[in-house]
C-alpha cells in the first residue's frame, strides 16, 4: 500500500503544478470535506438566493423588467444544479445535501436573509450582491478541483449579465423622479454593509482560508476580495450618483486602495446563526418547495426504473 504521506505529497505537488484534481484522483479526506462544505454552501446560496428576488417577479414594473428578472432567477436555479452535480462527484448524495439545508444544519450566504422591500432592492441585489459574488467567483474558475472550476466558468458568465441588469435598473432610477432617487439611495443604504459581509470573516478570523489557499481551492483571501470589491464599487457609485453609507470611505494614496469603516461582525454572526430578519422565512419556503416537489422526484425515479426494466427485458429478448 502507498503510504498516505507520499500520496499527500503527490497530491500537493499536482496542486502546486496547477494540475486539476478530478473525482477519481486520490485526495486527502479533509480536502474532500472542505470542498463538500464549500460547494454545497454555494449551491444552497444559489437556490435560497432565488427567494428574495422571486418576491418581485409578479410586481416587476414592466414586461421587459419581468423577463430580465425571470431569466436571472432561472439562471440561479441552474447554478444550483451545476453546483449540486459538482458536489455529488465527491461522493455525497443530493438528497443528503437537501436534508442538511432543510433541517438548518447547512449554511448558505448570510446575504439572503435580508428582505426585499422595494423594486430598487432588485437593482441593488444585481449591482452589489452579484457584484460581490463575481469578485469571489472569478477566482473560483481557477480552483483546484476540476468539476467545481468548470461549473464556475459558466456561472461567472451568467453572473456578469446579472450584475449589469442590476446596475441598469439602478441607473434608470437614478435618472428618474425624486422619489425614485430616494428609493435607490435607501436600497443602497440597506444592502451595502451586508454585501461586504458576504466575503466572510476577516482573514484573522477565517478558520478555513489558510488551508484552502494551500490547496488552491481559494486563490484570494476574504479581505483581499472585499477590498477589490470596495475599490471597484466606489467608482460605479459615482455614475449612479449615490452615497455609500460609510463616512470613513476614503481613497488612501499610500495603499492605493479605498479605506473603509469597521464591519459589524456581531450582525454578521447573528445572521449566520439563524437570527437574521428573514432566516426562518427562507428556510420555511425551501422546505415547502421541497415537500411540494416530492411528486416530481417520485415520478422521475419511477420513470427511470421503468426505462431500466424495459432495457433489461429488451436485452433478454436479444
Ligand atoms: N454567509 O473560514 P471562512 C450567490 C462561514 S453568492 C454565511 O472564511 P471559507 C448568489 C463559513 O462557511 C454567495 N456563512 O470560510 C449571488 C465558515 O463556516 P463553516 C455564495 C459564511 O469557506 C447572487 C465560517 O463562516 N457564494 O450564490 O474559507 C444571486 C468561517 O469562514 C459566510 C459562495 O458560496 C457568509 N457570507 O470562506 C444568487 C462562494 N462567510 O463552514 C446567488 C463560494 C463565511 O466552518 N464560497 N461563512 O461552518 C466561498 O468562496 C467561501 O466559502 C467563503 C467563506 C468566502 C464564502
Amino acid at each position: 500500500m502507498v503510504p498516505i504521506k507520499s500520496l499527500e505529497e503527490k497530491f500537493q505537488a499536482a496542486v502546486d503544478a496547477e494540475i486539476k484534481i478530478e473525482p477519481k484522483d486520490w485526495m486527502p479526506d479533509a480536502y474532500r470535506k472542505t470542498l463538500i462544505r464549500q460547494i454545497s454552501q454555494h449551491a444552497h446560496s444559489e437556490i435560497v438566493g432565488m427567494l428574495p428576488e422571486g418576491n418581485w417577479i409578479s410586481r416587476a414594473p414592466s414586461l421587459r423588467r419581468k423577463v430580465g428578472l425571470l431569466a436571472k432567477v432561472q439562471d440561479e436555479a441552474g447554478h444550483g444544479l451545476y453546483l449540486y452535480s459538482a458536489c455529488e462527484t465527491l461522493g455525497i448524495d443530493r438528497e443528503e445535501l437537501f436534508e442538511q439545508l432543510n433541517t438548518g444544519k447547512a449554511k448558505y450566504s448570510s446575504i439572503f436573509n435580508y428582505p426585499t422591500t422595494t423594486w430598487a432592492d432588485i437593482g441593488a441585489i444585481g449591482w452589489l450582491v452579484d457584484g460581490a459574488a463575481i469578485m469571489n467567483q472569478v477566482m473560483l474558475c481557477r480552483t483546484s478541483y476540476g468539476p467545481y472550476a468548470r461549473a464556475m466558468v459558466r456561472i461567472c458568465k451568467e453572473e456578469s449579465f446579472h450584475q449589469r441588469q442590476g446596475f441598469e435598473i439602478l441607473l434608470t432610477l437614478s435618472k428618474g423622479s425624486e422619489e425614485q432617487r430616494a428609493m435607490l439611495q435607501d436600497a443602497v443604504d440597506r444592502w451595502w454593509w451586508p454585501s461586504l459581509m458576504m466575503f466572510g470573516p476577516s482573514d484573522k478570523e477565517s478558520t478555513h482560508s489558510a488551508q484552502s489557499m494551500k490547496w488552491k481551492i481559494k486563490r484570494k483571501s476574504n479581505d483581499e476580495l472585499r477590498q477589490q470589491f470596495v475599490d471597484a464599487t466606489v467608482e460605479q457609485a459615482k455614475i449612479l450618483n449615490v452615497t455609500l453609507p460609510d463616512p470613513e470611505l476614503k481613497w488612501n494614496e499610500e495603499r492605493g486602495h479605498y479605506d473603509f469603516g469597521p464591519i459589524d461582525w456581531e450582525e454578521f454572526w447573528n445572521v449566520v446563526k439563524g437570527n437574521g430578519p428573514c432566516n426562518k422565512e427562507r428556510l420555511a419556503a425551501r422546505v415547502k418547495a421541497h415537500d411540494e416537489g416530492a411528486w416530481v422526484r417520485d415520478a422521475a425515479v419511477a420513470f427511470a426504473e421503468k426505462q431500466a426494466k424495459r432495457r433489461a427485458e429488451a436485452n433478454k429478448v436479444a
Side-chain angles (χ1 to χ4, degrees):
M1 219 174 87
V2 190
I4 295 286
K5 180 122 191 351
S6 91
L7 283 172
E8 276 200 23
E9 280 163 4
K10 271 194 197 159
F11 169 85
Q12 189 61 49
V15 168
D16 292 342
E18 300 291 340
I19 297 167
K20 290 273 177 267
I21 305 301
E22 296 298 337
K24 289 189 176 152
D25 294 341
W26 185 90
M27 60 186 83
D29 205 36
Y31 176 82
R32 185 185 299 276
K33 279 197 186 129
T34 297
L35 278 171
I36 291 177
R37 179 186 63 78
Q38 178 168 325
I39 302 175
S40 65
Q41 285 176 3
H42 194 167
H44 299 327
S45 304
E46 295 285 354
I47 60 165
V48 176
M50 296 165 73
L51 297 170
E53 292 172 292
N55 180 32
W56 278 91
I57 292 173
S58 58
R59 290 178 288 155
S62 71
L63 184 61
R64 179 173 168 264
R65 293 296 186 206
K66 185 168 177 152
V67 170
L69 183 57
L70 261 175
K72 180 182 192 293
V73 174
Q74 283 175 354
D75 283 351
E76 278 147 16
H79 298 173
L81 292 179
Y82 307 153
L83 290 164
Y84 284 122
S85 298
C87 201
E88 282 182 310
T89 65
L90 291 155
I92 187 160
D93 192 57
R94 193 172 303 208
E95 269 307 306
E96 195 178 336
L97 295 171
F98 285 147
E99 165 80 12
Q100 290 172 359
L101 174 64
N102 293 345
T103 54
K105 265 188 242 146
K107 288 196 171 74
Y108 59 84
S109 184
S110 49
I111 193 77
F112 302 117
N113 294 305
Y114 291 86
T116 41
T117 51
T118 73
W119 171 250
D121 288 3
I122 299 306
I125 289 182
W127 178 43
L128 297 174
V129 176
D130 285 271
I134 298 171
M135 210 47 103
N136 164 280
Q137 292 174 7
V138 163
M139 72 156 180
L140 294 175
C141 296
R142 294 189 301 117
T143 195
S144 55
Y145 187 57
Y148 191 22
R150 291 188 285 275
M152 289 316 303
V153 171
R154 193 147 171 190
I155 292 175
C156 280
K157 284 189 185 148
E158 292 173 355
E159 297 284 22
S160 311
F161 149 70
H162 296 170
Q163 199 263 359
R164 290 294 292 269
Q165 70 89 38
F167 189 79
E168 206 250 344
I169 289 174
L170 297 185
L171 194 60
T172 306
L173 291 176
S174 77
K175 293 174 185 159
S177 64
E178 204 175 305
E179 268 172 319
Q180 284 170 317
R181 286 198 300 276
M183 188 163 78
L184 156 63
Q185 183 62 58
D186 168 64
V188 170
D189 287 347
R190 284 180 292 108
W191 289 92
W192 174 251
W193 289 108
S195 298
L196 293 195
M197 293 173 194
M198 280 176 73
F199 294 94
S202 71
D203 293 351
K204 268 192 267 157
E205 303 294 325
S206 166
T207 38
H208 304 289
S209 276
Q211 184 60 69
S212 288
M213 303 267 276
K214 188 162 179 247
W215 281 329
K216 297 190 196 283
I217 293 175
K218 279 165 95 164
R219 299 269 177 167
K220 288 186 180 177
S221 77
N222 299 357
D223 284 337
E224 256 179 284
L225 289 167
R226 192 170 6 249
Q227 180 72 62
Q228 221 175 303
F229 173 73
V230 170
D231 292 347
T233 313
V234 171
E235 295 306 315
Q236 294 164 6
K238 291 178 189 164
I239 301 169
L240 293 176
N241 215 2
V242 279
T243 311
L244 295 171
D246 178 0
E248 292 180 45
L249 202 55
K250 199 167 167 249
W251 178 252
N252 183 324
E253 196 62 51
E254 212 175 295
R255 291 199 313 120
H257 291 291
Y258 279 94
D259 288 338
F260 53 96
I263 290 173
D264 183 349
W265 292 115
E266 204 182 315
E267 173 181 327
F268 170 74
W269 288 115
N270 201 33
V271 175
V272 171
K273 282 181 193 143
N275 305 318
C278 300
N279 294 60
K280 289 183 184 62
E281 189 184 325
R282 299 288 182 247
L283 209 56
R286 278 309 318 155
V287 170
K288 184 168 178 277
H290 190 74
D291 290 349
E292 287 176 358
W295 70 272
V296 180
R297 293 190 297 281
D298 290 347
V301 170
F303 180 73
E305 280 171 0
K306 205 169 162 189
Q307 291 289 85
K309 211 167 154 192
R310 258 201 216 133
R311 239 176 276 129
E313 273 162 18
N315 283 346
K316 243 192 262 165
V317 173

